[in-house]
Amino acid sequence: MTYATAATSQDTKPPVALFGIDGTYASALYTAAAKTSALDSTAKALSTLSEVFKKDPKLAVVLTAPTLTSSDKSQIIAELQRHTGSTPDKGDTVKNFLKTLADNNRLGILEGVCEKFTQLMGAARGELELVVTSAAKLDPKTLQRLEAAASKSEYSQGKKLKVVPKVNPDILGGLVVEIGDRTIDLSVSAKISKMNKLLTDAL
């Protein structure tokens, strides 16, 4: 059974609908892993790969290179599997998935798939992601305060929040907070953009 057809089964259906190519592949992987009772081991493997991307920013660039040969892809898969080696790969789920990405020239979306798969696992556990984007890394105490404030808001839907901190220097300062399908943009860049629009409209 291919990853494309695996997603049609109801009993192993992903808990939430995801969009984008990475979302489609993450959903298909979730279904394939659920069928072989390999969700936990697959989640651990993808979490490990996610850490590899954070430690080595060049990896994402290498994976999107259009000049990758079949031999290059095989070496990359072997290297990625080396990182997940300590996690048992039930039914070769992760190995087969990486091969599917390589065969379809989609290795470049692997980082996004790791993120989306974490989202699916959180939803399956009844968690709601609280994504906090800042221009510089926030300390744990600040993140805890944000989590406490968000958990009291109506947007938390009474669910357990899973804090996902992200750093994006482009927002210049302030925060962008995403909870469920709600985005609260408190960034400096958004304020500048709003100010520019007001000036443009006035002129």
Side-chain angles (χ1 to χ4, degrees):
M1 179 176 281
T2 67
Y3 287 95
T5 55
T8 56
S9 174
Q10 288 298 313
D11 56 336
T12 51
K13 197 177 173 192
V16 288
L18 296 179
F19 302 98
I21 296 171
D22 49 2
T24 303
Y25 274 87
S27 299
L29 175 58
Y30 182 94
T31 299
K35 281 180 180 294
T36 53
S37 306
L39 279 173
D40 286 338
S41 59
T42 302
K44 277 180 195 164
L46 263 62
S47 177
T48 303
L49 289 177
S50 200
E51 288 304 312
V52 174
F53 277 108
K54 284 176 192 166
K55 287 175 191 164
D56 184 6
K58 287 180 189 168
L59 179 59
V61 179
V62 171
L63 294 183
T64 52
T67 51
L68 289 177
T69 63
S70 296
S71 172
D72 292 335
K73 289 174 187 173
S74 298
Q75 285 180 328
I76 288 168
I77 290 173
E79 182 62 19
L80 291 172
Q81 281 186 275
R82 193 177 64 75
H83 286 289
T84 62
S86 58
T87 307
D89 187 10
K90 206 169 178 185
D92 284 342
T93 307
V94 177
K95 179 184 175 184
N96 291 338
F97 181 69
L98 291 173
K99 189 176 181 310
T100 299
L101 286 181
D103 290 346
N104 294 330
N105 294 318
R106 295 288 189 195
L107 281 171
I109 65 166
L110 179 58
E111 186 174 14
V113 171
C114 291
E115 278 186 30
K116 294 280 175 80
F117 194 85
T118 302
Q119 232 177 300
L120 287 174
M121 289 302 290
R125 295 183 189 118
E127 296 171 346
L128 190 64
E129 279 200 351
L130 173 67
V131 182
V132 181
T133 306
S134 53
K137 192 176 179 182
L138 297 174
D139 60 271
K141 201 171 274 186
T142 303
L143 289 170
Q144 279 172 359
R145 285 211 304 269
L146 285 165
E147 182 183 4
S151 63
K152 290 173 191 163
S153 78
E154 61 188 272
Y155 306 120
S156 70
Q157 302 161 30
K159 292 184 177 179
K160 183 182 185 307
L161 296 179
K162 177 181 168 59
V163 182
V164 180
K166 292 187 177 181
V167 175
N168 179 4
D170 291 345
I171 70 169
L172 305 177
L175 297 170
V176 177
V177 180
E178 296 167 74
I179 178 167
D181 55 5
R182 169 91 179 175
T183 300
I184 304 152
D185 195 340
L186 307 169
S187 65
V188 172
S189 62
K191 286 172 186 169
I192 291 171
S193 175
K194 200 178 278 185
M195 207 180 298
N196 283 342
K197 188 180 185 311
L198 285 170
L199 284 169
T200 307
D201 291 349
L203 296 170

